[in-house]
Amino acid sequence: MFSRGPLSCAKDDMIHCLRWTVFLWIVNTIPFTSGMTVNERIENKDHTCPPMKLEDKWDTNVNIHREFTGFDLAEKFLLRKGTVTDNRLLLRLGSKPLFKPTESVFPNGISHEYSIIATFRLRKTTKKDRWFVLQIFDQDGDTQVSLIVDGAKKTVEFLAQGFLRNSLLYVFKNRDLHALFDRQFHKLGVSVESNAVSIYLDCKLIERQVTAERSGMNVSGRTFITTRVEDGRPVDIELQEILIFCDARIADLDRCCDSPGVTCEPVVTHNPTAAPMVTGYLHRMLSMPAQLPTDQCHCPTLKGDQGLPGLAGHSGQKGDKGDMGLKGDPGPQGLPGLKGDKVEQQAQKGDQGPPGIPGERGDAGLPGQPGAPGKEGKRVSKPKQVAACVGWIHVAYMYL
């Protein structure tokens, strides 16, 4: 019977071989499971992440009864509690850069798959800022992980480090993210899986992107939170919580039961009796009759992993014509026009006109200026003077 392996057993001996396989497994595990129940044996805890002390609301938000593991970054960075606004206890960020050695924040690093949850409200003066929700540097100053909120572009960016120390950047530009910048409280969730990154806003899936393989974390660098990209100072926001869960499903399972107007049913927890010891099943397992292959297994249904996003839907119908837009600003001054051609026109000389009519006799002119004294005349005798005067009088009479 032992000369042939389980894979070579005939169909009739399959159940018999299976019983011996179970028996040998029980014999080998009894020394290590003494005093442990079945439920305790199959439990597999991630020792990288410590248990978290959270408010009772998280048991209702996630709707599962389990122990949360991860990191409360507000506690790690010793953020003091501030005022209460809209029934929310806010945290004080101060004015100094918020950074610590990564080893003091994540002593053993972060699990390869995790969720980031941050609840905050932007102010009027910072809604267009570009800032880090989380940024983890290695010892050489290279970014290993960062989550960036860009108010000017209304986008969310996730950056990780690949195996070749190359940067893997994923930008989420979905228009549904614009609500994050309306100066109201919102919960931003990020699910980081081994091959995908998903963004959630107020517990609703906004966008999912497939990623390349990421490298592990080096805890020798520094970790920053809520830091402006421009100058490294804390961003001016109203922060309620900033958490990292060592489970990528938390961002998807969160129901935002603590949000105003959201009502969630409480989690129903069961307290079954303690399971019997493994050794208690030995006699029952070996004495069970073989079942026919036609028997159906009545196994509990387990929830499967989340499927990939579906294909894009058909294009919608053409919308109605929009209203007339506002009058635009005046345009720039136009270029000068081309120089025109010069037109030259030469006048022709006309014919000579007829003689004019004789003009009337003009008025007497003004008396002339006295003439210059004449030369001294010759002296004549008196009779000659008389004769000369008579001659001049005669001449003058003739002209009158």
Side-chain angles (χ1 to χ4, degrees):
M1 178 172 55
F2 290 96
S3 61
R4 54 178 181 168
L7 296 178
S8 63
C9 292
K11 179 182 293 186
D12 296 339
D13 297 334
M14 184 66 70
I15 301 299
H16 193 58
C17 294
L18 180 61
R19 289 179 180 176
W20 275 107
T21 303
V22 174
F23 173 78
L24 294 176
W25 176 82
I26 294 175
V27 171
N28 290 329
T29 56
I30 285 177
F32 301 99
T33 59
S34 178
M36 296 177 63
T37 63
V38 174
N39 289 345
E40 292 172 343
R41 177 63 185 169
I42 65 175
E43 184 178 3
N44 182 20
K45 293 185 178 181
D46 186 0
H47 297 288
T48 302
C49 300
M52 301 175 67
K53 297 180 181 179
L54 298 176
E55 300 179 15
D56 294 339
K57 67 178 183 180
W58 276 103
D59 292 332
T60 305
N61 281 351
V62 180
N63 197 21
I64 58 175
H65 185 68
R66 57 164 297 170
E67 182 183 44
F68 297 105
T69 60
F71 308 90
D72 185 344
L73 297 187
E75 179 181 333
K76 289 289 184 178
F77 282 80
L78 304 177
L79 298 183
R80 295 184 300 171
K81 297 180 180 180
T83 58
V84 176
T85 303
D86 297 339
N87 294 326
R88 301 172 186 266
L89 180 60
L90 305 182
L91 301 169
R92 295 181 179 179
L93 301 180
S95 59
K96 297 181 179 180
L98 295 173
F99 70 91
K100 282 184 173 294
T102 301
E103 189 174 7
S104 66
V105 182
F106 314 111
N108 299 315
I110 303 178
S111 60
H112 196 62
E113 295 189 345
Y114 54 92
S115 295
I116 304 174
I117 304 292
T119 303
F120 57 87
R121 176 168 66 180
L122 299 175
R123 297 183 185 273
K124 183 178 181 180
T125 56
T126 57
K127 68 177 184 178
K128 292 188 177 181
D129 282 356
R130 178 178 170 86
W131 54 283
F132 295 102
V133 178
L134 171 70
Q135 187 178 31
I136 304 176
F137 291 102
D138 61 13
Q139 58 185 356
D140 298 327
D142 297 327
T143 299
Q144 299 185 93
V145 175
S146 71
L147 179 62
I148 302 175
V149 174
D150 193 327
K153 298 180 180 178
K154 291 182 171 57
T155 60
V156 174
E157 302 175 13
F158 178 80
L159 187 145
Q161 193 175 68
F163 278 117
L164 301 178
R165 295 178 61 88
N166 56 316
S167 295
L168 306 175
L169 177 62
Y170 305 95
V171 182
F172 298 86
K173 304 178 181 179
N174 195 293
R175 291 184 61 87
D176 290 339
L177 285 173
H178 291 189
L180 183 63
F181 307 93
D182 62 3
R183 297 169 56 195
Q184 300 298 324
F185 277 102
H186 294 285
K187 179 180 287 187
L188 177 64
V190 182
S191 173
V192 183
E193 302 173 86
S194 60
N195 60 348
V197 176
S198 304
I199 296 294
Y200 295 80
L201 184 62
D202 297 331
C203 302
K204 296 180 181 178
L205 177 62
I206 302 299
E207 189 176 349
R208 184 172 186 264
Q209 295 189 21
V210 178
T211 63
E213 290 292 332
R214 295 176 285 111
S215 65
M217 178 178 293
N218 185 337
V219 298
S220 300
R222 293 182 176 183
T223 297
F224 291 74
I225 62 170
T226 60
T227 303
R228 295 203 311 176
V229 176
E230 180 182 2
D231 53 14
R233 294 187 175 276
V235 65
D236 186 16
I237 62 173
E238 294 178 284
L239 179 65
Q240 181 180 357
E241 60 185 354
I242 177 168
L243 307 167
I244 294 182
F245 294 89
C246 294
D247 189 341
R249 299 173 301 169
I250 299 299
D252 179 60
L253 296 175
D254 190 1
R255 300 186 297 169
C256 290
C257 298
D258 54 333
S259 299
V262 178
T263 303
C264 299
E265 297 180 358
V267 179
V268 179
T269 59
H270 300 281
N271 186 20
T273 57
M277 300 291 294
V278 174
T279 55
Y281 287 99
L282 178 60
H283 177 72
R284 294 172 55 188
M285 293 177 65
L286 296 178
S287 62
M288 290 175 61
Q291 295 181 348
L292 297 177
T294 56
D295 291 345
Q296 296 182 356
C297 176
H298 300 282
C299 303
T301 302
L302 299 178
K303 181 180 179 182
D305 296 333
Q306 181 179 351
L308 296 175
L311 299 176
H314 299 291
S315 302
Q317 298 180 356
K318 185 177 181 180
D320 298 332
K321 184 177 180 181
D323 299 331
M324 180 179 295
L326 300 176
K327 183 178 180 181
D329 298 330
Q333 184 176 357
L335 299 175
L338 298 177
K339 186 177 181 180
D341 297 333
K342 184 177 181 180
V343 179
E344 295 183 357
Q345 293 183 354
Q346 185 175 2
Q348 297 181 357
K349 186 177 181 180
D351 298 334
Q352 185 176 358
I357 302 174
E360 298 179 353
R361 184 176 181 179
D363 297 334
L366 296 175
Q369 296 293 332
K375 297 181 179 180
E376 184 178 0
K378 296 181 179 180
R379 296 181 64 88
V380 295
S381 60
K382 191 172 183 180
K384 290 182 178 182
Q385 292 181 354
V386 173
C389 289
V390 172
W392 280 107
I393 292 173
H394 179 71
V395 172
Y397 177 78
M398 292 177 64
Y399 282 95
L400 294 176

